Amino acid sequence: MKTFYGKVYDIVKQIPFGKVTSYGHIALLIGKPNAARAVGYALKAIPLELKDEIPWHRVINSKGEISIKNKPGADILQKKNLEEEGIVFENGSKVDLNKFGWFPN
DNA sequence: CCGGTGACGCGCG
DNA sequence: GCGCGCGCCACCG
């Protein structure tokens, strides 16, 4: 895919089971290190038909926390999905990126 | 083109 | 370690 959204989706699909990455890193892989914000915009815009094909829940912010706002339930769902993959939340909200982070070049 | 919006990130104090 | 402010980008009128 050559559109910005398409590139974001392609990369998210590559995130391995049980791992997570950040919006900023995805932007980096696309070649636009400062487009983290746009990446988040793209994820919230994932077409329903692709919801089950794209592991959007494996994308969190650089601090290792879920960053969804104004979407009641979505943040809780994301956390639940991640825990099902074996990812651990310290203090109930933070992920240790040194253990579960996926940051390829 | 301009302005508003937002699943971000980073530097400061 | 926390809150704020600001810059960045794509998208939509």
Side-chain angles (χ1 to χ4, degrees), chain A residues 43-104:
Chain A
L43 289 188
K44 75 177 181 186
I46 294 177
L48 292 176
E49 317 87 75
L50 303 178
K51 281 286 184 178
D52 57 319
E53 180 182 342
I54 300 175
W56 58 271
H57 55 277
R58 295 181 190 149
V59 186
I60 58 183
N61 64 30
S62 65
K63 296 190 290 293
E65 302 177 301
I66 290 175
S67 186
I68 301 179
K69 297 174 183 176
N70 304 316
K71 297 294 180 182
D75 52 347
I76 297 174
L77 173 63
Q78 175 168 26
K79 182 183 177 186
K80 192 168 74 65
N81 287 326
L82 291 176
E83 292 182 316
E84 287 180 30
E85 299 193 357
I87 291 175
V88 179
F89 283 78
E90 298 173 12
N91 301 314
S93 60
K94 299 174 189 171
V95 175
D96 186 339
L97 296 178
N98 292 307
K99 291 181 182 175
F100 309 106
W102 181 73
F103 305 100

